[in-house]
Amino acid sequence: GSGVLGSALAMDKWRAKALCGLAGIPTPAAHLVHTLAEAHEALADIGLPLVVKPVFEGSSIGVSMVDTVAQLAEAFGEARRHGPVLVERRVLGLELAVGILGDRALPAVGLRAASEFYDYHAKYVAEDTEYLCPPPLPEATQERLGTFALEAFRTLGCEGWGRVDFILDENGEPRFIECNTAPGMTAHSLVPIAARAAGLDFPALCVAILADTLSTGEASAEAGHVGAPGQSEVTA
């Protein structure tokens, strides 16, 4: 999968959004904040509703939905336990995930959680989360999702396989949320769902990921980029 640069940039939600925005990939307005006063300034600029989340966490840990000013302090405190905080405009459309395998985007998966949003419980525990693959979207929108996903993946320096998350805005247009370089591979996970829709069962998906990893390693060795003695033999 991805190396150090791609993994670090994708894990940093603030810088991932900034770089993807520079690349022309639409993403909701957001502020990086470190204090509650800064969070209130972000609210005044962006407006309600908001999503408040840790910049460096995954699996929806520390994420809160903020619909009123009174909810901001608790949401900020929960997110701040994990480091810097991202205050982002909340978009209320369908949540979507696009798996990346090599140089192609897998079919998008739409998510409808029984809870308020696709949180930790919906991802790993709940049996009533609805997965839509393909999602009920116009073909042109699905094509844009695939294009944006590949562009985001490449912009962040990611490689091999991963997942790029979006949400639809009020006009039905995709907005980039984040990129995951080590997406889940459980019964509830999205990349295996998308791979099945593309004709790859779970074993075939694993083989495809490994085959890409091995071919990348061999290419690097042949190009003379292997740093440690004997690494090419281990990779092969």
Side-chain angles (χ1 to χ4, degrees):
S2 296
V4 173
L5 178 63
S7 298
L9 287 174
M11 195 69 186
D12 187 328
K13 295 178 178 64
W14 169 245
R15 287 171 175 80
K17 283 170 60 70
L19 287 170
C20 286
L22 286 173
I25 302 164
T27 186
H31 285 257
L32 174 68
V33 304
H34 298 85
T35 67
L36 182 56
E38 291 176 347
H40 277 286
E41 291 173 3
L43 186 153
D45 181 57
I46 299 171
L48 295 168
L50 295 170
V51 183
V52 178
K53 63 181 81 169
V55 170
F56 300 122
E57 270 295 346
S59 298
S60 299
I61 293 170
V63 176
S64 300
M65 303 297 150
V66 173
D67 297 309
T68 68
V69 175
Q71 295 173 327
L72 182 61
E74 182 178 355
F76 173 80
E78 178 61 29
R80 191 68 177 93
R81 295 171 52 213
H82 306 283
V85 174
L86 188 70
V87 176
E88 181 178 64
R89 184 172 77 87
R90 185 180 182 190
V91 182
L92 300 175
L94 181 66
E95 296 181 68
L96 296 148
V98 181
I100 303 294
L101 186 59
D103 60 356
R104 66 168 169 154
L106 297 173
V109 181
L111 313 163
R112 286 181 180 156
S115 55
E116 185 179 16
F117 69 103
Y118 190 53
D119 60 7
Y120 186 94
H121 181 81
K123 289 175 178 176
Y124 301 111
V125 180
E127 298 293 342
D128 53 2
T129 301
E130 186 178 3
Y131 300 99
L132 311 169
C133 188
L137 299 174
E139 184 175 342
T141 303
Q142 297 194 50
E143 290 177 356
R144 278 198 296 280
L145 280 165
T147 298
F148 285 154
L150 283 170
E151 288 180 357
F153 201 68
R154 293 163 180 163
T155 294
L156 298 175
C158 301
E159 299 175 284
W161 74 297
R163 194 191 75 228
V164 186
D165 297 341
F166 298 86
I167 194 162
L168 295 185
D169 68 10
E170 59 275 10
N171 298 314
E173 293 297 320
R175 295 289 179 262
F176 170 83
I177 299 299
E178 64 182 20
C179 178
N180 192 324
T181 58
M185 290 285 278
T186 72
H188 292 266
S189 297
L190 304 174
V191 172
I193 292 173
R196 283 199 299 272
L200 292 171
D201 61 14
F202 191 82
L205 171 62
C206 294
V207 168
I209 293 169
L210 290 170
D212 181 79
T213 300
L214 291 173
S215 64
T216 301
E218 290 167 357
S220 296
E222 291 170 2
H225 296 307
V226 176
Q231 186 173 338
S232 59
E233 288 82 357
V234 173
T235 303

